[in-house]
């Protein structure tokens, strides 16, 4: 059977790279995935080797393409989605990075951001970007590379260096340097992009000390990002869709209407609410960001960013060795009573929204001689739900009310987690039929540009829910559990001070 108009989605995440080939009805034809090494060279530093990112991308794409072709698929285009903010600077002449990729979780520029804050630059940055002065975003990472790699500033001034988030780096490599571009969603996470003018902002370039010469061109999400060179896959493919992974998940969940909200549980957790065509500024330290620009129309989003979600489970597996695989966590969580009394605040990379405490570090409370591996696992899963609850409370204080939330990401295969989340949030949690929403969003964007899909409305009509989890927790229990969590967070912040 021939399946025409398939899309190859590249999902370059924090811990692994995936290639997924979707048929036009959004069914999955082929999947390939490869994890790569995380580097922690210093306290609070997190790096990736850009060559690992590139190699894993090519390996998974080739695997998925050959499997799809064997099944009779014809691939029409590529969509790219990526871990956001992670920063690469490379030499335009050789295509080689001049330093490792500095990952979004990396805190090395916390002091720089604090100093900028002390100089009164918060409003300059926040009013233009919708973001905060935090090491999370790309700008301070670019400046760090230019200031710490010998000769980098001079090279940048001479126009020999290029900066990009992971999408740009991959596009550069896939097109053999023909295209140095990013999309509006990735640009909106750099702290250099004015989300009202939808352009790089000269004032921000000045305050972060980043030269204009290193910047990529900014395009819409469904746009022409060049063609791959023939040698990579045996034929050339157009790259027609790009979005940062959280925005792509929101698109994959068809959050096209104002008020639609999704929460993605991967390495971190990111809640994103579509606020329509106007930027909405939070009074509670949530981020204003670009949801997408499609066919000339920009939608904005309110975002809550939690740095550690599935990463806490990975730490239990790789750091402490208390589990062998993430899939064991569901049974372990179920094995305990609700009032087990252990809380984990997984501030391994500081705390994100709504606390924004880059220097905070993780803590576990309530240990006794009876504490077991199961308690650690359960507390880690619960922490993800409590952190989401903090975000929804911040949104509620900004006037947002909701009765359901769409979830996705590697963690939501865990039914216990989804049920506990519904109870703690007191809303219905909807899990989609296709859980690979991030890749699906990238495929939708490429499909829109390729003319395979006509409109966002058509995509929304294809959306299917696989399971709904209703809130069943008594409110007295919810209040008690959340009070314990708040106590644990305050103690963690107190320890940081
Ligand atoms: N059944 C599960 N229960 C809890 N956590 C899980 C489960 N399966 C996967 N995870 C966690 O989900 C994360 C992987 O999700 P994924 O969406 O692939 O992440 P990313 O895109 O950030 O690399 C890992 O951190 C893993 O520990
Ligand atoms: O790799 P993920 O899926 O945890 O996403 C990372 C985010 O894009 C960081 O902002």
């Amino acid at each position: 059977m021939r399946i025409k108009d398939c899309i190859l989605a590249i999902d370059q995440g924090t811990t692994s790279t995936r290639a997924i080939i979707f048929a036009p009805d959004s069914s999955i034809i082929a999947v390939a995935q490869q994890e790569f090494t995380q580097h922690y060279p210093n306290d609070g530093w997190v790096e990736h080797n850009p060559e690992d990112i590139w190699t894993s991308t090519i390996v998974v794409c080739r695997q998925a393409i050959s499997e799809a072709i064997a099944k009779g698929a014809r691939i029409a285009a590529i969509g790219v989605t990526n871990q956001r903010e992670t920063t690469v600077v490379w030499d335009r002449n050789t295509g080689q990075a001049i330093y490792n990729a500095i990952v979004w979780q990396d805190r090395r520029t916390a002091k720089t951001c604090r100093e900028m804050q002390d100089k009164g630059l918060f409003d300059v940055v926040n009013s233009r970007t919708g973001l905060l002065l935090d090491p999370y975003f790309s700008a301070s990472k670019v400046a760090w590379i230019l200031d710490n790699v010998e000769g980098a500033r001079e090279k940048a001034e001479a126009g020999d260096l290029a900066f990009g988030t992971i999408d740009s780096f991959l596009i550069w490599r896939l097109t053999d340097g023909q295209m140095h571009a990013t999309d509006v969603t990735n640009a909106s996470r750099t702290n250099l992009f004015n989300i009202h003018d939808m352009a790089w902002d000269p004032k921000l370039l000045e305050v972060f000390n980043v030269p204009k010469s290193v910047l990529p061109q900014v395009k819409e999400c469904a746009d022409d990002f060049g063609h791959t060179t023939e040698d990579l896959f045996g034929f050339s493919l157009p790259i027609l869709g790009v979005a940062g992974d959280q925005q792509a998940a929101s698109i994959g969940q068809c959050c096209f209407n104002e008020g639609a909200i999704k929460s993605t549980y991967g390495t971190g957790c990111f809640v994103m609410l579509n606020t329509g065509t106007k930027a909405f500024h939070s009074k509670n330290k949530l981020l204003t960001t670009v949801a997408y620009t499609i066919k000339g129309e920009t939608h904005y989003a309110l975002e809550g960013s939690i740095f550690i979600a599935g990463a806490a489970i990975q730490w239990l597996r790789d750091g402490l060795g208390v589990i062998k695989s993430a899939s064991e966590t569901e049974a372990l969580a179920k094995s305990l009573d609700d009032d087990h009394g252990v809380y984990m605040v997984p501030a391994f990379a500081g705390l994100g929204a709504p606390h924004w405490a880059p220097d905070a570090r993780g803590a576990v409370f309530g240990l006794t001689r009876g504490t077991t591996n199961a308690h650690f696992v359960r507390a880690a899963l619960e922490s993800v739900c409590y952190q989401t609850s903090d975000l929804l409370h911040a949104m509620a204080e900004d006037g947002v009310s909701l009765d359901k939330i769409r979830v996705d990401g590697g963690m939501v295969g865990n039914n216990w987690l989804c049920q506990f989340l519904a109870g703690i949030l007191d809303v219905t949690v909807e899990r989609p039929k296709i859980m690979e929403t991030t890749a699906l969003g990238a495929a939708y964007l490429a499909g829109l540009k390729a003319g395979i899909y006509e409109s966002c409305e058509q995509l929304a009509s294809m959306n299917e829910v696989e399971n709904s989890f209703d809130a069943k927790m008594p409110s007295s229990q919810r209040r008690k559990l959340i009070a314990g969590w708040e106590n644990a967070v305050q103690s963690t912040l107190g320890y940081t001070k």
Side-chain angles (χ1 to χ4, degrees):
M1 189 179 63
R2 304 260 325 137
I3 318 163
K4 281 198 327 190
D5 292 340
C6 296
I7 308 274
L8 164 62
I10 299 172
D11 176 2
Q12 204 304 298
T14 310
T15 55
S16 74
T17 308
R18 270 194 287 262
I20 302 185
I21 296 180
F22 291 96
D25 66 359
S26 73
S27 58
I28 292 177
I29 309 259
V31 186
Q33 176 169 8
Q34 195 172 87
E35 287 201 13
F36 54 87
T37 311
Q38 310 287 311
H39 299 274
Y40 307 104
N42 241 318
D43 179 33
W45 293 28
V46 189
E47 296 181 359
H48 294 157
N49 181 339
E51 293 310 322
D52 287 349
I53 288 182
W54 172 242
T55 309
S56 64
T57 301
I58 293 308
V59 167
V60 295
C61 284
R62 286 182 180 153
Q63 270 175 24
I65 288 172
S66 64
E67 189 185 329
I69 287 176
K71 289 181 179 167
R74 210 176 136 264
I75 301 158
I78 296 182
V80 176
T81 180
N82 54 290
Q83 50 169 323
R84 306 167 305 167
E85 299 98 13
T86 298
T87 297
V88 191
V89 176
W90 66 92
D91 189 316
R92 288 182 189 273
N93 304 308
T94 62
Q96 296 300 309
I98 63 163
Y99 188 78
N100 267 350
I102 302 187
V103 177
W104 56 278
Q105 295 159 318
D106 191 290
R107 316 271 87 198
R108 78 185 65 187
T109 56
K111 185 162 167 266
T112 312
C113 293
R114 259 196 312 275
E115 285 167 1
M116 290 178 72
Q117 188 107 7
D118 293 345
K119 283 188 199 151
L121 288 168
F122 177 84
D123 284 344
V124 172
V125 173
N126 180 252
S127 63
R128 288 167 161 83
T129 64
L131 310 176
L132 308 173
L133 258 174
D134 190 271
Y136 175 27
F137 309 106
S138 315
S140 62
K141 301 178 197 287
V142 185
W144 188 94
I145 294 176
L146 296 182
D147 289 334
N148 287 277
V149 175
E150 207 186 323
R153 268 219 180 266
E154 294 71 34
K155 274 189 164 177
E157 300 297 347
D160 287 336
L161 296 186
F163 147 68
T165 38
I166 296 298
D167 56 313
S168 294
F169 175 66
L170 290 179
I171 291 165
W172 176 281
R173 286 280 178 103
L174 289 165
T175 63
D176 196 22
Q178 295 304 302
M179 185 66 79
H180 183 208
T182 188
D183 83 296
V184 289
T185 66
N186 276 293
S188 79
R189 313 297 298 186
T190 57
N191 253 348
L192 299 170
F193 189 72
N194 187 316
I195 60 168
H196 310 292
D197 301 347
M198 297 298 278
W200 299 119
D201 189 307
K203 179 71 185 168
L204 295 169
L205 294 175
E206 180 199 317
V207 300
F208 282 103
N209 197 16
V210 172
K212 192 165 178 247
S213 60
V214 301
L215 298 174
Q217 177 189 358
V218 185
K219 294 183 159 244
E220 294 194 5
C221 301
D223 213 328
D224 180 4
F225 291 88
H227 283 72
T228 60
T229 53
E230 258 184 52
D231 57 317
L232 289 175
F233 309 127
F235 47 89
S236 173
L237 285 169
I239 306 166
L240 297 180
V242 176
D245 57 6
Q246 301 312 317
Q247 281 86 344
S250 187
I251 292 163
Q253 291 264 33
C254 297
C255 291
F256 297 122
N257 294 328
E258 189 174 332
I261 185 167
K262 72 87 201 176
S263 188
T264 300
Y265 297 88
T267 304
C269 159
F270 302 87
V271 178
M272 193 167 265
L273 170 80
N274 187 327
T275 60
T277 52
K278 288 208 177 69
F280 176 94
H281 272 272
S282 166
K283 293 190 182 68
N284 294 288
K285 297 190 180 170
L286 299 169
L287 308 174
T288 307
T289 202
V290 175
Y292 52 80
T293 303
I294 296 174
K295 298 188 179 177
E297 185 169 285
T298 297
H299 272 234
Y300 292 90
L302 198 59
E303 177 180 313
S305 323
I306 299 168
F307 297 148
I308 302 290
I313 303 299
Q314 275 175 339
W315 173 68
L316 294 178
R317 186 193 65 182
D318 305 336
L320 298 192
V322 302
I323 48 169
K324 287 204 176 62
S325 96
S327 58
E328 290 169 30
T329 59
E330 183 164 350
L332 285 167
K334 271 191 200 150
S335 71
L336 295 180
D337 292 336
D338 287 344
D339 59 349
H340 56 86
V342 178
Y343 284 91
M344 180 186 292
V345 182
F348 304 132
L351 281 175
H355 308 286
W356 297 103
D359 297 323
R361 289 294 176 268
V364 182
F365 298 90
L367 302 182
T368 66
R369 282 292 298 270
T371 301
T372 63
N373 288 353
H375 290 89
F376 271 77
V377 164
R378 171 101 172 226
L381 293 175
E382 288 181 352
S383 75
V384 172
C385 304
Y386 294 133
Q387 291 184 94
T388 312
S389 158
D390 287 347
L391 295 181
L392 294 203
H393 278 116
M395 284 190 178
E397 284 181 18
D398 277 328
V400 176
S401 69
L402 50 110
D403 53 14
K404 73 171 180 194
I405 189 164
R406 302 172 192 179
V407 296
D408 53 56
M411 288 192 94
V412 305
N414 186 323
N415 288 326
W416 183 88
L417 178 92
C418 292
Q419 191 57 60
F420 188 79
L421 183 66
I424 285 295
L425 301 183
D426 198 20
V427 301
T428 298
V429 166
E430 279 185 0
R431 189 167 67 189
K433 192 167 161 205
I434 297 190
M435 277 208 265
E436 295 288 357
T437 51
T438 304
L440 184 61
Y444 280 169
L445 290 169
L448 280 167
K449 183 66 184 170
I452 296 166
Y453 308 115
E454 274 171 21
S455 63
C456 297
E457 290 73 31
Q458 183 196 352
L459 295 173
S461 72
M462 292 160 56
N463 195 31
E464 283 180 73
V465 173
E466 177 256 352
N467 208 341
S468 276
F469 299 84
D470 291 324
K472 290 184 186 141
M473 188 182 285
S475 47
S476 56
Q477 187 188 348
R478 178 182 316 114
R479 276 198 300 273
K480 184 172 160 229
L481 290 174
I482 290 178
W485 164 254
E486 283 169 357
N487 194 2
V489 170
Q490 287 314 317
S491 303
T492 304
L493 292 171
Y495 176 77
T496 308
K497 276 176 207 146

